[in-house]
Amino acid sequence: MKSVLFVCLGNICRSPLAEGIARDIVQRKKLDVEVDSCGTGDWHIGEHPCENSVKVAKMHGIDISMLVSRQITRNDLEHFEMIVALDSKNYDDLKRMGAKNLYKLGDFGYDGVDVPDPYFFNGFKGFEKVYEMIHVCVNNLFEIKFGL
Ligand code: 4NP
């Protein structure tokens, strides 16, 4: 089965947005692709996505409020066909853990740039920018990798 795991640091801001956008594509197009997200860090395990990510997703008709943060496991590295890092720090951490099939989300439409961490940004504006980047790249990824 096709599968993709989106990975950021806390799994409360960026990768839940990527998961929500990807799940929306899977649902609308009735695809057989497993989608998940997680964080490299453990600070937010068990928490729902941050308020601003829930809000920006909702503005685009996507509900991510029920997602729950978890940390990456060794099993994830074997299980997922694609492991997609949101920034280069995540990418390097995953590489060090031995991830193969490793990609960077920004390579799917944003010249490989990092999706910046909006957690410490001032206010909501950063989340709108991050949503736009993730939306473009996740759609391109599905088109390129899954032919959809
Ligand atoms: P995320 O954002 O990696 O996009 O989920 C972060 C959220 C929290 C922290 C770091 C990044 N933190 O260090 O608490």
Side-chain angles (χ1 to χ4, degrees):
M1 185 178 175
K2 296 180 196 317
S3 58
V4 55
L5 178 68
F6 297 100
V7 187
C8 64
L9 180 59
N11 193 214
I12 56 165
C13 298
R14 293 165 295 171
S15 58
L17 284 174
E19 178 179 348
I21 290 166
R23 285 188 183 283
D24 182 61
I25 297 169
V26 164
Q27 251 174 23
R28 281 188 291 106
K29 302 194 173 178
K30 299 189 184 355
L31 308 176
D32 208 14
V33 180
E34 180 185 355
V35 175
D36 201 356
S37 70
C38 66
T40 55
D42 62 2
W43 304 280
H44 297 281
I45 291 172
E47 292 178 25
H48 293 296
C50 70
E51 202 177 311
N52 281 332
S53 284
V54 171
K55 180 175 162 188
V56 76
K58 197 171 175 187
M59 284 165 56
H60 294 270
I62 293 174
D63 183 11
I64 60 166
S65 63
M66 81 301 285
L67 298 179
V68 178
S69 170
R70 71 175 184 88
Q71 190 176 24
I72 189 150
T73 66
R74 300 240 146 245
N75 185 53
D76 290 324
L77 303 180
E78 305 303 320
H79 178 76
F80 286 91
E81 185 184 335
M82 292 183 76
I83 297 184
V84 183
L86 274 280
D87 68 27
S88 33
K89 174 76 165 57
N90 311 145
Y91 186 97
D92 292 345
D93 288 342
L94 290 161
K95 191 104 200 154
R96 216 168 305 129
M97 284 182 74
K100 301 182 180 73
N101 305 322
L102 183 57
Y103 301 83
K104 199 173 155 186
L105 190 63
D107 280 327
F108 295 92
Y110 267 87
D111 287 332
V113 301
D114 290 343
V115 177
D117 188 344
Y119 191 63
F120 300 105
F121 281 13
N122 276 334
F124 188 62
K125 218 165 173 49
F127 283 83
E128 289 175 314
K129 176 64 187 163
V130 157
Y131 182 93
E132 174 61 22
M133 292 177 82
I134 294 174
H135 176 76
V136 167
C137 292
V138 169
N139 275 277
N140 287 337
L141 183 156
F142 268 74
E143 210 171 298
I144 293 163
K145 285 289 171 185
F146 301 132
L148 310 160

